Structure formats: structure tokens, C-alpha cells
């Protein structure tokens, strides 16, 4: 199998994992499908020697974005259990404008500055949802 096919297979597997995670979201009404939402997937490869520092920075950033920005609806981050340096972030914003605001926020700029030397590869994908369903847990 070629490297390109391996990368595509990896991305598809991570995408499946992220979508499966959506079903375990505890009642997030923000995931109700809305045609104005902006959805993006970030596929990253992280320097293995800095992985724990990267994960801490990403977690701090995601928590700040969700708590401080009403337009940031969902930020899920996962890594491949067989290749922990391969990270996928699934992002849902209320709109393209909310995304544009997010990437100018102080916590996003801090995150980007903190991780700039940790990220070996970054591929951003704009995606259109087919189904984003969530079971509400009582």
C-alpha cells in the first residue's frame, strides 16, 4: 500500500472515530443541523517528542474556545491509538463568521504560537455534514 493510500485510510478511520464520538455527546443542542454552520476537520501530525505538551496546549485551547466563544459549538480532538502523533480535530462553528472570529481570538493565537514548532503537518478540510445526530442523556 502506498503512503498516500495509508494517509487516506488513516484520515477516513479518524473521521469515523470523530463521528462516533458525536453520538456520545451529552445533549448538545448546538449540534442540531443548521445550514449556516461551518464544519472543519484538522488532521495534524505532531512531533512525537513534544506530544504531551501539544495535547495539553490543545486541551487548554479547546476548553477556552468552548467556554468563551458562543459561536464555537463543538471541538473534539482525538488521536490514533496506534500512532498517537496523528491528531484529528473536529470543529463545528455557528457560522463562517464565528470561525473567522475564533481564529482571531487571544486563546487561538496563543495556541498557534505555542504549538508552531510541534506541528509537523496540518491538513484542513472543510466538510458538509450528512448526519450529525446526538443522543440526549438524562
Amino acid at each position: 500500500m502506498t503512503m498516500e493510500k495509508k494517509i487516506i485510510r488513516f484520515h477516513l478511520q479518524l473521521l469515523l472515530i470523530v463521528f462516533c464520538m458525536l453520538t456520545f455527546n451529552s445533549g448538545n443542542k448546538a449540534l442540531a443541523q443548521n445550514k449556516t454552520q461551518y464544519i472543519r476537520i484538522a488532521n495534524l501530525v505532531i512531533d512525537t517528542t513534544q506530544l504531551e505538551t501539544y495535547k495539553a496546549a490543545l486541551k487548554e485551547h479547546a476548553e477556552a474556545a468552548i467556554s468563551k466563544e458562543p459561536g464555537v459549538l463543538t471541538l473534539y480532538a482525538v488521536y490514533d491509538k496506534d500512532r498517537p502523533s496523528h491528531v484529528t480535530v473536529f470543529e463545528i462553528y455557528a457560522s463562517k463568521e464565528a470561525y473567522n472570529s475564533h481564529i482571531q481570538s487571544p486563546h487561538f493565537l496563543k495556541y498557534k504560537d505555542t504549538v508552531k514548532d510541534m506541528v509537523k503537518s496540518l491538513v484542513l478540510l472543510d466538510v458538509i455534514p450528512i448526519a450529525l445526530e446526538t443522543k440526549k442523556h438524562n
Side-chain angles (χ1 to χ4, degrees), residues 45-121:
V45 178
I46 307 304
D47 176 359
T48 56
T49 64
Q50 301 183 73
L51 188 56
E52 293 308 313
T53 304
Y54 174 80
K55 290 191 305 189
L58 178 57
K59 183 171 176 41
E60 177 183 321
H61 161 67
E63 289 171 351
I66 291 297
S67 69
K68 295 177 180 178
E69 296 182 72
V72 178
L73 305 179
T74 303
L75 282 177
Y76 288 133
V78 297
Y79 64 88
D80 182 333
K81 73 175 190 171
D82 294 327
R83 293 181 297 177
S85 64
H86 290 249
V87 175
T88 299
V89 182
F90 184 77
E91 311 168 22
I92 301 178
Y93 301 91
S95 63
K96 175 75 171 177
E97 293 77 22
Y99 169 76
N100 289 334
S101 176
H102 169 69
I103 61 174
Q104 296 303 314
S105 68
H107 47 268
F108 179 80
L109 296 174
K110 176 186 175 190
Y111 160 77
K112 289 298 279 188
D113 186 55
T114 300
V115 305
K116 68 180 181 265
D117 295 326
M118 299 176 197
V119 177
K120 293 169 54 176
S121 169

Side-chain angles (χ1 to χ4, degrees), residues 3 15-16 24 27 31 33-34 65-66 71 116:
M3 180 57 93
L15 184 60
L16 178 61
F24 295 104
L31 288 180
Q33 291 183 33
N34 180 330
I66 291 297
K116 68 180 181 265

